[in-house]
Structure formats: structure tokens, C-alpha cells
Amino acid sequence: MVYLIPAPGLLTALLLALIDIRSRRVPRLLVFFGLILQTVTLLCFCLIQAQPMLLVQCLLLTLACSGLQFLLALVRPGALGLGDVTATGLVALSLSVLGWTTILVWWLMMGLLGLAALALVWLARRRGSVRTDDPLSLAYVPVILAAAVVALLIAAI
């Protein structure tokens, strides 16, 4: 039953991923809506389970993940945007109910899937007949979401 708790945030992240693929932007109003929806879901779950400290753990994990992603965005400006940071916060809030291990698996998968996606974009551009001097561009919210789904499946096994 606990594996259904991340559903509101991950469904919102799916919508964000589709928007990111199409327009390379992440609407913060939609992220805010997803955060509120996921927080209400977590609050209800914690009240039903009589575990108020679980909500505190979820919020601390979310802050840690968002802060780390923000630091990574500052390391190389332009590689990650604030939309990617806020989407990371939404997915972190969704997955945090499953614990630290799931969050660590999610981060590992984000790195691996991000590198794989970047390699595929690079290969597709290299094989294409049109060569441009534009830097590689990658919609990263789909990578964040795909890594979250993989982490959720691994946690369910």
C-alpha cells in the first residue's frame, strides 16, 4: 500500500516531463501544485499510520535532494535549470516515504540514465546529416522521472 503514496507526485512529474520534452521548460506553478498534492497525501498517510516523524523525514530528504541538485546546477550554469531543481524536489518528496535507500537508488539511476540519455542524444546528433554548433540539449525531467520509476520498482521487489 505504501507504494501508492508517491503516485500524485509522480503523475505530476509525468506531466512535467511531457512539457519539458516539448518546450524545454518546467512550469513552477504545476510543480507547486504537485508539491501541495503530494504533501497532503503524505500528511494523510502519516496521520493514518500515526507516524508524524515520517513526515519530518520526508521533508528533510526533500530539502537535502533539492539542495544537492541546486548545488549541481550552480557548478555548471546552463546544464541544469531551476525547473530541474524544483522537479527534483517534487520527485524527492514523492519517493521519500520509501526511505533513504530508495532515494540513494534514485540518485544513482538519475546519474546512469542521464549519462545514457546524453550519449544517445550525442550519437543521434553525430549520425544526423545536419551538423550544428549548438551545445547538446537534454530534457532532464524525463530522466528524473524514469530514475524514480526504476527506484520505485526496485523498492517494491
Side-chain angles (χ1 to χ4, degrees):
M1 181 68 170
V2 72
Y3 299 106
L4 293 178
I5 302 302
L10 294 182
L11 288 174
T12 306
L14 176 62
L15 184 57
L16 289 170
L18 294 173
I19 293 170
D20 191 24
I21 289 170
R22 196 180 93 229
S23 65
R24 292 294 199 275
R25 53 182 213 85
V26 179
R28 291 200 183 90
L29 187 60
L30 186 57
V31 173
F32 182 69
F33 172 73
L35 285 169
I36 289 177
L37 192 60
Q38 188 63 47
T39 303
V40 169
T41 304
L42 281 172
L43 182 63
C44 292
F45 178 73
C46 291
L47 289 175
I48 290 170
Q49 296 292 319
Q51 294 180 345
M53 289 307 292
L54 181 61
L55 183 62
V56 173
Q57 173 190 326
C58 292
L59 295 175
L60 288 175
L61 280 170
T62 301
L63 285 174
C65 290
S66 298
L68 181 59
Q69 192 77 306
F70 181 69
L71 287 175
L72 290 173
L74 290 177
V75 168
R76 182 145 187 258
L80 288 174
L82 286 180
D84 298 325
V85 173
T86 57
T88 299
L90 174 63
V91 174
L93 184 63
S94 302
L95 289 179
S96 61
V97 73
L98 301 174
W100 284 91
T101 307
T102 304
I103 294 293
L104 291 174
V105 169
W106 171 54
W107 274 89
L108 176 67
M109 294 311 300
M110 260 197 303
L112 293 175
L113 292 176
L115 286 173
L118 196 57
L120 288 174
V121 168
W122 182 77
L123 284 174
R125 176 181 268 187
R126 187 176 168 131
R127 288 186 163 237
S129 59
V130 177
R131 304 263 179 173
T132 64
D133 292 331
D134 296 332
L136 290 177
S137 177
L138 176 68
Y140 198 63
V141 177
V143 173
I144 294 169
L145 178 62
V149 170
V150 170
L152 184 67
L153 291 173
I154 290 173
I157 293 176

